[in-house]
Amino acid sequence: MTIAPKAQNKSAIPAVEVRGLTHRYPVGEANVAALCDIDLTVEDGEFVAVVGPSGCGKTTFLRIISGLLSPTSGQVSVLGQSTDSARRAQALGLVTQDPGLLPWLDVAANVRLTLDLTGVQLNAETRVAELLERVDIAGFRSYFPGQLSGGMRQRVALARALAHHPRLLLMDEPFGALDEFSREEMRLELLRVWEQERATVVFVTHSIREAVLVADRIVVMNGQPGRVSAEVPINLGRPRTLSMDERPEFQSLVSQIRGHLSAGVIEASVPPVAPGDGR
Amino acid sequence: MRRGLRGLALTIAAPLLAASLLLAVWESWVRIRDVKNYLVPAPSAVLAALVDEPSRFSAAALISLQAALLGLVVASVGAFLLAMVMAHSRILERVLYPPALAVKVTPIVAVAPLFTIWFGFGIAPKILITAMITFFPMLVNSVIGLRSVDPRALDYFRSLDASRWQEFWRLRVPSSLPYIFAGLRISVPLALIGAVVAEFLSGSAGMGQLILIANGDFDTPTLFGAVFVLAALGILLTASVAFVERKVLFWHESSADV
């Protein structure tokens, strides 16, 4: 049960392929580099977590994959096509830390909106009901976002992002604004939903434990501009449980990644960083 | 419910009590000091003027109200259409903003006679003047409103390759409603002023004409009556906007019970 479901669906084309990606953005007169020479391949059906400190360009990286931002240089392909055509093919689902639900629509209508925008009319109501059931929020279908807790809003955001069966789910610190209890609950919830909906996931977070708990593979990013400093496979087996973090292999993975993060920081702060640049 | 009753008592009884007190002081001041009727009439005299020939006031008020509302509708629709264009492009905004500002800063008193020459004494010049006064606040608020979109929601729409049409109707327009209602709150009293000023300057029928005639006759009680009627109309209109706003913007922070 643990390996079989994803193996069937696997396609030879990687979900995300990034080669030599560099991105700079203008700040006043200067061009500040946000990402430097990134290479990354995410296989179809894989759950990849990108871990790094704030300001290492994780969000920029995700926006580039989503086709919302064009990189300065380098190749990025999503599902074998350009990021823009993948976006146009409505193959993406997006969940951000503040999900930007529409406050004037109730929960069901917010999820339904994805189906309207992607032109899914057939059985739309059934799909909405199924999704709300799946993220365990069916009892709140006629509530408005303003009446929900942060955790419940993220459930709605997850349902909304998955409604049109996207092949690639992009998540940018989705649980970053939640309290510790809802965060743990949502991690498991996400994994449970993922087993059922089966999309490739790129999951950006600054929590090492969170990354180890959810991912098949962890990409460690750091520095300014952000670089990929390590890739760590997580062979913990699925389904994952919260108690897994007490296992020695979990602990050793966490310290291994922490090592990569601090090594990267030292390396990046030695060269031409001006004194007093606290970031 | 207890809170509701107390709230009702506070919102209705308290201002009513204050108003009655004010009227009582006014009435006794006029009587004791024997103030001339054409200078400051007693509230009782104003009331007598109002009930003596109520149709005079109600007919005039309806005419003014009609012009004010039509002018506001014309201005709001025009401002929204222009705002769509201006919110769409910064260049067009720069091109269109100066003429819009010119309309705003032009003294109504200067153009009103011109409108009367062009359009006569009917409702048309009144609608035009009202629209001129209310256009600018509606325009500014509509432009800001159409631009004030949650960037995360915009990312969501774009990640799904939503069309510009969907982005506009399903995201920008609802997002702009709080700003449009703020514009309406400013514009509704202005609309009433616009209609009355137009009537006052051209002498065409309505509250403005009523005031003009009463002024010529030194009929001060009627003047005061007209002021009260206009104030009541203004309050009624503002309250109606607030009522609709609470229904429409139930989801917005501004509607939260504090």
Side-chain angles (χ1 to χ4, degrees):
Chain A
M1 191 223 155
T2 45
I3 333 156
K6 255 152 282 127
Q8 320 165 335
N9 264 40
K10 214 154 197 169
S11 111
I13 303 166
V16 180
E17 197 160 26
V18 178
R19 291 288 164 264
L21 167 68
T22 293
H23 188 71
R24 302 172 155 276
Y25 56 91
V27 174
E29 301 277 294
N31 266 326
V32 175
L35 296 168
C36 181
D37 198 25
I38 300 221
D39 291 308
L40 179 70
T41 304
V42 178
E43 298 301 338
D44 190 43
E46 201 179 9
F47 196 130
V48 167
V50 179
V51 187
S54 302
C56 75
K58 304 187 298 282
T59 296
T60 307
F61 184 49
L62 212 64
R63 283 179 62 86
I64 289 172
I65 297 175
S66 69
L68 294 170
L69 188 67
S70 309
T72 316
S73 65
Q75 272 95 50
V76 182
S77 67
V78 171
L79 306 163
Q81 35 194 333
S82 73
T83 52
D84 208 47
S85 34
R87 186 179 64 85
R88 285 177 196 286
Q90 301 177 323
L92 306 177
L94 188 67
V95 181
T96 48
Q97 185 175 339
D98 177 347
L101 299 175
L102 304 191
W104 54 86
L105 297 181
D106 67 13
V107 165
N110 260 293
V111 176
R112 173 71 199 250
L113 181 60
T114 295
L115 299 175
D116 291 348
L117 295 180
T118 51
V120 181
Q121 291 307 322
L122 199 67
N123 299 327
E125 282 310 313
T126 322
R127 175 67 176 153
V128 170
E130 176 191 46
L131 282 158
L132 294 181
E133 203 68 58
R134 196 153 283 179
V135 299
D136 208 14
I137 200 168
F140 296 88
R141 59 173 296 134
S142 42
Y143 280 58
F144 288 85
Q147 302 170 304
L148 300 178
S149 69
M152 293 208 278
R153 265 183 282 211
Q154 285 300 358
R155 287 169 197 266
V156 181
L158 186 60
R160 179 178 81 165
L162 289 169
H164 57 304
H165 298 287
R167 291 184 58 196
L168 178 62
L169 181 62
L170 301 170
M171 307 186 82
D172 186 7
E173 299 197 16
F175 314 138
L178 304 184
D179 62 86
E180 191 56 36
F181 300 107
S182 341
R183 206 179 298 165
E184 292 201 328
E185 200 182 312
M186 285 305 294
R187 287 168 187 163
L188 293 184
E189 189 84 16
L190 168 65
L191 290 176
R192 206 170 50 69
V193 172
W194 176 62
E195 299 280 348
Q196 293 165 323
E197 296 280 336
R198 272 190 245 133
T200 307
V201 182
V202 178
F203 183 96
V204 163
T205 177
H206 54 230
S207 160
I208 301 173
R209 292 183 158 273
E210 180 167 275
V212 174
L213 184 69
V214 297
D216 294 325
R217 185 156 56 100
I218 291 180
V219 175
V220 181
M221 262 178 82
N222 43 33
Q224 261 184 328
R227 297 164 197 269
V228 173
S229 61
E231 292 189 28
V232 182
I234 307 296
N235 300 311
L236 280 175
R238 291 188 187 273
R240 306 272 169 89
T241 57
L242 285 182
S243 57
M244 273 183 176
D245 67 357
E246 288 153 18
R247 291 198 202 163
E249 62 261 46
F250 191 102
Q251 301 292 352
S252 80
L253 282 165
V254 168
S255 42
Q256 189 189 340
I257 290 156
R258 190 170 291 141
H260 286 304
L261 277 167
S262 47
V265 168
I266 292 160
E267 189 190 319
S269 63
V270 174
V273 175
D277 188 338
R279 304 202 293 167
Chain B
M1 267 294 98
R2 259 181 63 216
R3 250 188 87 193
L5 277 176
R6 259 185 69 190
L8 203 70
L10 274 176
T11 47
I12 294 178
L16 218 61
L17 194 71
S20 321
L21 203 68
L22 187 75
L23 288 175
V25 170
W26 177 358
E27 180 81 36
S28 28
W29 176 66
V30 170
R31 280 172 191 243
I32 292 163
R33 302 293 304 266
D34 195 19
V35 181
K36 292 283 171 283
N37 203 30
Y38 66 86
L39 283 176
V40 179
S44 54
V46 176
L47 190 69
L50 280 172
V51 294
D52 181 38
E53 218 181 321
S55 61
R56 194 163 56 124
F57 287 96
S58 60
L62 274 178
I63 292 171
S64 299
L65 189 64
Q66 194 187 14
L69 290 180
L70 283 171
L72 184 61
V73 167
V74 167
S76 305
V77 171
F80 190 78
L81 291 175
L82 196 63
M84 278 170 64
V85 176
M86 285 167 75
H88 183 77
S89 131
R90 293 269 176 196
I91 297 171
L92 283 172
E93 184 184 8
R94 278 198 202 138
V95 173
L96 294 170
Y97 189 78
L101 191 63
V103 169
K104 147 95 182 152
V105 297
T106 306
I108 294 305
V109 188
V111 289
L114 198 60
F115 287 169
T116 307
I117 292 170
W118 287 345
F119 304 110
F121 293 91
I123 197 171
K126 294 200 280 179
I127 292 177
L128 210 60
I129 286 171
T130 305
M132 259 184 85
I133 305 187
T134 52
F135 181 77
F136 199 73
M138 292 312 294
L139 178 72
V140 170
N141 279 281
S142 302
V143 172
I144 296 174
L146 289 175
R147 285 231 174 97
S148 300
V149 173
D150 181 351
R152 267 85 36 144
L154 198 58
D155 274 357
Y156 159 70
F157 270 70
R158 297 202 167 148
S159 76
L160 293 175
D161 194 41
S163 66
R164 282 208 160 259
W165 181 257
Q166 288 169 327
E167 188 182 302
F168 184 76
W169 286 110
R170 308 202 62 164
L171 182 60
R172 287 193 187 274
V173 170
S175 302
S176 73
L177 287 178
Y179 296 86
I180 287 176
F181 270 103
L184 279 175
R185 283 198 196 201
I186 298 170
S187 297
V188 157
L190 285 180
L192 212 52
I193 294 172
V196 172
V197 166
E199 289 155 2
F200 191 86
L201 292 171
S202 70
S204 59
M207 290 303 285
Q209 188 194 50
L210 189 77
I211 292 169
L212 198 64
I213 292 169
N215 197 27
D217 292 349
F218 283 102
D219 184 359
T220 319
T222 299
L223 270 181
F224 269 81
V227 169
F228 281 130
V229 167
L230 281 172
L233 266 183
I235 291 170
L236 194 74
L237 283 178
T238 311
S240 316
V241 171
F243 178 77
V244 176
E245 184 178 351
R246 266 206 305 283
K247 294 279 166 217
V248 176
L249 296 182
F250 63 93
W251 50 272
H252 192 250
E253 299 91 65
S254 62
S255 301
D257 293 315
V258 179

